[in-house]
Amino acid sequence: KYRLMQLQSEGDRQLEKIATQMKIDVELVGVESGLTVQRIQDETKLETEKLREQSVADSNVEVAKAKAEVDVIYADGHLESAKNIAKAEKVAFEAEGISAPLNRKQNDHITFIHKLRAQQALAENDKVVITGTGGGNLANALLQADAALKESYSQQYTVDDHKSREAILTELAIATGKGDVRI
């Protein structure tokens, strides 16, 4: 009976040892599976981050390429526009160069017509006395005296007194030392 008890004790101990080992093995498997799950989750998270970062980097590269293409197209447009503006300005300058002599002739003619009209207006004005630069101050003084005498003689004297006006002018010319005056 002792031996049976001993064998039973030994069997219980073995059962307990197996149960403990089983518990240890189950807990070890649980810990290992937890670690495996955690490792798988970490690897998945790491791979997800890599993919996300790579896709952000790839999209930034594509955006930069698109912007560069837009800038090239924009620069080409500006270049073409500048070329067209330069061509237009060249054509305008050439046209102005061709028309400049014609415009000059037209302006000279218009100026000449204005001078003629001004001279005609002065010629038609009875109150204006015009002297040239060749006669100098003497001719100017004689014409002013003639105009003054003409106005005063026409109001007070007869036609016969007209000779006295000419005589006064002749005397004025001789008195100044410039006797070569014809009236």
Side-chain angles (χ1 to χ4, degrees):
K1 192 167 173 177
Y2 178 67
R3 177 102 180 113
L4 188 59
M5 279 172 100
Q6 189 180 10
L7 284 174
Q8 190 175 7
S9 266
E10 186 66 31
D12 287 340
R13 200 170 52 149
Q14 285 295 331
L15 281 175
E16 200 172 306
K17 186 178 175 186
I18 290 173
T20 304
Q21 187 63 41
M22 188 174 81
K23 231 182 189 186
I24 290 172
D25 287 344
V26 167
E27 285 183 20
L28 186 60
V29 167
V31 167
E32 284 179 359
S33 25
L35 289 173
T36 302
V37 167
Q38 183 66 37
R39 185 179 48 80
I40 290 171
Q41 286 176 346
D42 290 344
E43 286 175 359
T44 304
K45 187 175 181 180
L46 180 64
E47 194 62 32
T48 303
E49 280 298 312
K50 282 182 184 177
L51 288 174
R52 188 182 75 72
E53 290 297 322
Q54 186 62 43
S55 64
V56 167
D58 290 346
S59 67
N60 287 340
V61 167
E62 292 301 317
V63 167
K65 284 181 183 177
K67 284 182 179 179
E69 288 177 17
V70 167
D71 289 344
V72 167
I73 292 169
Y74 187 73
D76 287 343
H78 274 286
L79 176 64
E80 196 62 33
S81 174
K83 285 180 181 177
N84 290 338
I85 289 171
K87 285 179 186 176
E89 287 177 351
K90 182 180 178 184
V91 168
F93 290 145
E94 287 174 357
E96 287 176 1
I98 292 169
S99 69
L102 301 174
N103 289 341
R104 196 172 310 113
K105 284 183 182 180
Q106 180 183 10
N107 289 338
D108 290 345
H109 178 72
I110 290 170
T111 302
F112 179 75
I113 295 296
H114 285 303
K115 284 180 183 178
L116 287 177
R117 287 185 183 154
Q119 289 174 357
Q120 183 179 2
L122 288 172
E124 291 174 355
N125 189 343
D126 293 335
K127 303 263 183 204
V128 175
V129 176
I130 300 174
T131 63
T133 58
N137 292 333
L138 177 63
N140 190 25
L142 287 174
L143 287 172
Q144 287 178 355
D146 182 44
L149 289 172
K150 185 178 186 180
E151 189 174 308
S152 66
Y153 275 98
S154 66
Q155 294 173 0
Q156 299 173 353
Y157 302 102
T158 63
V159 176
D160 293 335
D161 292 331
H162 186 65
K163 292 178 186 173
S164 62
R165 184 174 63 113
E166 290 172 352
I168 292 171
L169 289 174
T170 305
E171 287 177 19
L172 179 63
I174 293 170
T176 59
K178 309 278 186 190
D180 191 20
V181 177
R182 294 185 189 100
I183 297 178

